[in-house]
Amino acid sequence: MTMLSYIVGQEHERNSFTQKSRYSGRAMEELRDASIHHTALKLSSDIKTMKIYENLYKMVQKLACSPEVDKNDMRTTLETAIKSTGLDTEIRNLIYHLIRTSIRADVRSTATSSHDPLNYLRRAGIQWERRVKRSLTAMCAELKVPLQGQTRILADREELASKWEELSNYQGPSKHEEDEFLPRWEFSHIALPVKNLFELRVHFSDLLRHDIGVSEWTAQCHKVLALRHAPVCQQVLRKGCTPAPVRGQLWAFVLGSHIDTHHGEHWDLLKSTVLTTDLIVDKLVFKDVQLTATNDDQYFVFEDVLYQVMLCFSRDAEIGQLLSADTNALTAPKSGKQFDGPPCGIVPHHGICMFAAPFCYLYDSPVKLYFTFRAFYVRYCHRLTTINTHPQGIVSLCLLYEKLLQTHEPQLWSHFRELQIQPIRVVFKWLMRAFSGHLPPQQLLILWDLVLGFDSLEILSLLAVIILSFRKESLMQVSYIENIEAVLADLSSIKVLPLIQLALSRD
């Protein structure tokens, strides 16, 4: 506990949990010590429930018995030994990721009350979730298959196992025309706080700093990787010019998804469950990949690995546990009635595989790809596909987009309104998929560098407004939604970093 308290003390201060404005002197010190103590207790409890805990405990035990540790000065010598082996970096990264999730979720949970004016939005989230689940239940009834799945017959199991590396040859559902969901309502009346352009400029100020040479920057990135410290890796991503060879490793550190022994074991267990159990959502997975990635020139070559990843994703019960730390940021509290759906708790929706597709460019191992994608989905993507009140949920991002467009491109705003076209309609699919499948992969990865580096999805709304501004002249000359969509259909010429830097530096 002493060693953990020492590390928590340093990480605690780095992650904005100190309140400096109201206290000073001794009172401030007492408050800080009490805060660190309670934080250490909570983190110690959380760490003990993690799969990595047993290995960490054994490594510390081994160090404690080594000649480098003096029993007469246990604390100092053990700390020195832990640092010399690099174990302190692993512990720091572990604490860093826990602070970003569970503790911040606890802080947010105290902010809601029965008098919250946004309770109606949370209720809408619950109603939408129930509607999706009813649709899945109805599908099961129509097809006469159990919702909780059924054991695969031996022949089907053997065929699936033999074609695991080429699942595109496994017989899936027939293809249908894509049904595009588009909202028919506006967001400007919703009382959610969002940033203005000045606040965005402050938040993303690192993007405006002077760039260094490519070779020098690459060398710095390799030095950062050698440190293996997640917060430093996150700072590197803020530049938006991450060298491709190190991007995957940096993302894994920032998301805490570096592969350990238990990751491989968990993947094998998920694969085994896919082979032995037939779920109704498997049909949705195959259909989604076929309608999106398979029809995309940039991603069709990854069709087989996407089947593997998404089938395993649907059976991963840990996803629900990981999302539970962010429950109140999603919707209102869950109802008491149990839903016996996919183990992951997420009904596959149209385009969900496109959150995983870009990771195919980063990893040649499906195991590495899966766990980094899973961490990214849990941290960001689920907020884009649920009705929620999170500051970076889809509702807030739509509201931010509308306010930026109305304030900084009033002509475009008025043009859309005169045509009786909701301004959000033309960009909603970009926001909902975080631009995956719309931007070229190289530019999308730069955009997601910034999402991870600044821990913010707000960059999506800013980019959406910038693109409309960039094509303003063409948009002002057309009068029908079909023509507007045609103007915005091809984003292959968009360069993410220069456009964002230009928008942030403009007066």
Side-chain angles (χ1 to χ4, degrees):
M1 174 61 74
T2 304
M3 181 62 190
L4 182 59
S5 298
Y6 168 76
I7 297 178
V8 169
Q10 294 186 333
E11 294 302 308
H12 189 268
E13 292 177 353
R14 291 175 184 170
N15 287 276
S16 70
F17 279 86
T18 53
Q19 300 178 5
K20 300 179 181 178
S21 57
R22 298 184 181 179
Y23 303 93
S24 60
R26 184 176 178 182
M28 182 63 198
E29 283 295 317
E30 291 176 354
L31 179 64
R32 188 177 71 87
D33 291 343
S35 176
I36 292 173
H37 174 70
H38 290 301
T39 301
L41 289 176
K42 174 167 177 52
L43 291 176
S44 298
S45 176
D46 290 344
I47 290 173
K48 287 178 182 178
T49 65
M50 301 176 71
K51 292 182 178 180
I52 198 175
Y53 171 73
E54 186 176 349
N55 287 338
L56 282 176
Y57 186 73
K58 288 180 180 179
M59 292 171 71
V60 173
Q61 276 188 320
K62 188 175 180 180
L63 283 175
C65 298
S66 66
E68 289 79 12
V69 176
D70 184 354
K71 66 179 181 179
N72 296 317
D73 189 11
M74 176 70 77
R75 173 174 174 172
T76 303
T77 54
L78 182 57
E79 286 177 4
T80 302
I82 287 175
K83 289 178 182 178
S84 66
T85 59
L87 186 58
D88 71 315
T89 302
E90 281 195 47
I91 297 174
R92 288 180 188 277
N93 287 343
L94 192 60
I95 293 168
Y96 167 77
H97 294 300
L98 284 173
I99 287 176
R100 292 174 72 196
T101 53
S102 59
I103 294 180
R104 289 185 180 179
D106 290 344
V107 172
R108 285 195 298 269
S109 66
T110 63
T112 59
S113 70
S114 58
H115 302 293
D116 188 342
L118 292 175
N119 267 343
Y120 77 93
L121 195 56
R122 296 188 178 89
R123 289 195 299 271
I126 290 180
Q127 291 169 1
W128 175 254
E129 191 174 325
R130 288 173 179 167
R131 181 179 175 184
V132 170
K133 291 173 179 178
R134 282 198 302 267
S135 297
L136 186 63
T137 303
M139 184 188 303
C140 290
E142 183 179 344
L143 297 176
K144 297 180 180 179
V145 296
L147 180 61
Q148 67 273 21
Q150 56 191 359
T151 303
R152 292 188 189 277
I153 61 174
L154 181 60
D156 186 29
R157 188 185 312 175
E158 290 177 348
E159 181 189 7
L160 189 60
S162 66
K163 295 180 178 177
W164 181 252
E165 299 299 331
E166 46 183 24
L167 284 170
S168 53
N169 293 325
Y170 177 73
Q171 185 175 0
S174 58
K175 301 182 182 181
H176 301 284
E177 292 299 318
E178 177 177 342
D179 294 323
E180 192 69 58
F181 169 73
L182 293 171
R184 303 295 181 187
W185 38 287
E186 296 182 6
F187 296 81
S188 55
H189 66 282
I190 298 176
L192 282 171
V194 295
K195 293 183 175 68
N196 56 36
L197 185 58
F198 175 78
E199 292 168 325
L200 290 173
R201 188 176 291 129
V202 172
H203 185 72
F204 296 110
S205 59
D206 284 355
L207 285 174
L208 302 178
R209 295 180 181 175
H210 182 67
D211 293 331
I212 61 177
V214 175
S215 58
E216 184 181 352
W217 180 241
T218 302
Q220 284 193 20
C221 288
H222 283 286
K223 289 180 181 179
V224 166
L225 278 177
L227 294 174
R228 303 174 63 85
H229 197 197
V232 183
C233 292
Q234 186 179 29
Q235 286 295 123
V236 166
L237 294 178
R238 290 187 171 204
K239 283 289 184 182
C241 52
T242 308
V246 301
R247 177 178 276 123
Q249 297 178 69
L250 289 171
W251 284 25
F253 277 120
V254 173
L255 291 166
S257 59
H258 262 282
I259 300 302
D260 205 340
T261 304
H262 67 85
H263 289 105
E265 294 171 351
H266 188 61
W267 171 261
D268 290 339
L269 177 62
L270 294 175
K271 176 182 175 181
S272 175
T273 309
V274 172
L275 297 178
T276 56
T277 308
D278 183 13
L279 295 179
I280 184 67
V281 294
D282 293 350
K283 295 176 174 59
L284 301 180
V285 167
F286 275 93
K287 180 178 180 180
D288 182 51
V289 174
Q290 290 169 357
L291 292 178
T292 55
T294 304
N295 289 331
D296 193 310
D297 291 343
Q298 305 293 336
Y299 297 110
F300 74 94
V301 294
F302 304 120
E303 180 181 3
D304 292 320
V305 72
L306 286 174
Y307 286 134
Q308 293 181 23
V309 167
M310 298 312 299
L311 288 171
C312 288
F313 181 87
S314 67
R315 286 155 173 82
D316 195 342
E318 288 186 359
I319 292 172
Q321 299 168 11
L322 292 168
L323 285 174
S324 65
D326 206 23
T327 295
N328 105 187
L330 288 173
T331 61
K334 304 290 183 184
S335 58
K337 188 176 180 181
Q338 181 69 25
F339 173 66
D340 196 11
C344 69
I346 300 166
V347 178
H349 55 81
H350 177 67
I352 190 172
C353 78
M354 294 306 292
F355 289 130
F359 291 87
C360 296
Y361 281 94
L362 302 183
Y363 305 103
D364 55 8
S365 160
V367 181
K368 291 180 180 179
L369 189 160
Y370 176 76
F371 285 100
T372 304
F373 153 65
R374 188 184 78 168
F376 187 80
Y377 183 92
V378 166
R379 182 144 188 86
Y380 301 108
C381 301
H382 73 277
R383 294 177 185 153
L384 301 176
T385 57
T386 57
I387 300 174
N388 60 80
T389 59
H390 193 279
Q392 294 181 44
I394 188 63
V395 178
S396 292
L397 296 184
C398 290
L399 178 59
L400 174 60
Y401 157 79
E402 286 193 348
K403 290 197 171 183
L404 289 175
L405 185 68
Q406 188 173 10
T407 303
H408 299 283
E409 290 294 348
Q411 281 186 299
L412 269 178
W413 176 270
S414 299
H415 181 59
F416 288 138
R417 298 310 299 266
E418 288 171 5
L419 298 177
Q420 296 184 341
I421 295 171
Q422 292 92 348
I424 191 61
R425 179 175 180 179
V426 298
V427 303
F428 186 78
K429 57 187 177 182
W430 297 348
L431 299 180
M432 191 175 178
R433 285 196 198 167
F435 281 90
S436 181
H438 299 285
L439 284 172
Q442 182 182 8
Q443 294 301 311
L444 179 71
L445 293 174
I446 291 173
L447 179 64
W448 286 11
D449 278 345
L450 302 181
V451 169
L452 287 166
F454 292 96
D455 193 21
S456 173
L457 289 167
E458 293 161 320
I459 199 78
L460 305 180
S461 301
L462 180 61
L463 180 61
V465 174
I466 295 168
I467 293 173
L468 264 60
S469 179
F470 188 64
R471 298 191 174 171
K472 177 179 177 180
E473 184 177 345
S474 298
L475 290 170
M476 293 296 294
Q477 294 176 9
V478 296
S479 303
Y480 298 98
I481 184 62
E482 295 80 9
N483 302 116
I484 290 174
E485 290 175 344
V487 170
L488 301 173
D490 183 7
L491 301 185
S492 60
S493 63
I494 295 296
K495 304 299 180 186
V496 169
L497 192 58
L499 282 180
I500 292 176
Q501 288 173 328
L502 178 62
L504 293 175
S505 60
R506 258 186 342 196
D507 293 332

